[in-house]
Amino acid sequence: MVVTGSVESLLECRQVKKHYGALKAVDGINLNIAAGETIGIGGPNGAGKTTFFDLISGLTAVSAGQVLFNGQAITGIAPHKLFHMGMARTFQVTSGFGSLTVLQNMLASVVNGSGNEEAGLLLSKAHREKSMSCLAEYGLADIADDLVSNIPVLDRKKLMVASAVVHHPQILLLDEPVGGLMPAEIDEFIELMINLRGKGTCIVFIEHVMRFLTTVADRALIMHQGKLIYDGTPPGMAADPLVKSVYLGSEADEMGGD
Ligand SMILES: Nc1ncnc2c1ncn2[C@@H]1O[C@H](COP(=O)(O)OP(=O)(O)OP(=O)(O)O)[C@@H](O)[C@H]1O
Ligand SMILES: [Mg+2]
């Protein structure tokens, strides 16, 4: 059976579930994401946020339900194929090839993400120029020849995003982009995200840092025990009784601040 979705939705989730034995990590999520939206996902540890991203991005098979991208069912499509189709993601644990340089990491994305599987590892001048231009955009050009194992966490996180966006994905999934960063570094990341949002990229991110979520996102989702318990404006979260009781607890007042 061919499943088709709404043409208005860039990404659509229909009753998406992931169960590990008795544990319902993701428990029936219905969601429509339109092109150009910027969505921040919050929720307590273990709420199922990363698992949800893994289901969308093809890293983990769904137990039940459908994910549609541009109206096409993508359940079962490998992550690298989804990358070629316009879906990119980053990871909660900062990834990157530590024994390669920053430029070599970017080249890996530029070459392998081009969708041309024949390209292999043949590098051209154009690949190098595209890589350097993207590194420059993310303030990484000066450290292009540094080994990734030697660069600070902020630069690793920027490199992960730069590698994900170099092919201009339609949707970008970021798992805790600013987790572990200092306040000034978070500010820097906010600028990068606002810039990316301005280009029309649909960004969906998971984040515990509420200042980042409320500044960058125009729509907020809160997950708890595998379910979506809030879908609305970022400022509205602070007043939502369910969100307060299951997630914010005593931090509710802090959310209302800047
Ligand atoms: N491969 C797996 N096998 C069994 N249980 C798993 C597996 N992956 C995740 N889980 C469980 O599913 C639940 C949701 O985990 P997940 O990593 O999605 O949470 P999260 O919302 O991303 O949390 P955090 O904010 O801490 O990153 C947790 O209870 C976790 O232990
Ligand atoms: Mg997680």
Side-chain angles (χ1 to χ4, degrees), residues 56-77:
I56 295 171
S57 60
L59 217 64
T60 301
V62 299
S63 302
Q66 285 279 351
V67 181
L68 298 102
F69 183 45
N70 280 314
Q72 180 192 340
I74 56 167
T75 326
I77 297 182

Side-chain angles (χ1 to χ4, degrees), residues 3-23:
V3 179
T4 51
S6 151
V7 285
E8 285 90 43
S9 287
L10 179 60
L11 189 88
E12 187 175 344
C13 298
R14 294 182 183 165
Q15 278 300 317
V16 170
K17 296 182 182 173
K18 183 70 191 180
H19 295 175
Y20 292 109
L23 177 77

Side-chain angles (χ1 to χ4, degrees), residues 184-229:
E185 296 173 329
I186 293 173
D187 288 341
E188 218 178 301
F189 236 91
I190 287 174
E191 286 301 313
L192 287 173
M193 292 302 105
I194 288 174
N195 182 32
L196 195 56
R197 191 179 69 181
K199 291 178 181 169
T201 310
C202 175
I203 308 170
V204 185
F205 65 86
I206 295 166
E207 193 49 74
H208 288 288
V209 178
M210 282 300 154
R211 182 167 68 87
F212 182 88
L213 195 155
T214 54
T215 311
V216 175
D218 46 39
R219 178 178 171 195
L221 306 175
I222 298 293
M223 282 186 73
H224 177 57
Q225 295 178 344
K227 293 183 189 296
L228 270 186
I229 59 156

Side-chain angles (χ1 to χ4, degrees), residues 49-50 92 175-176 206:
K49 305 178 297 295
T50 295
Q92 186 166 346
D175 195 346
E176 299 198 26
I206 295 166

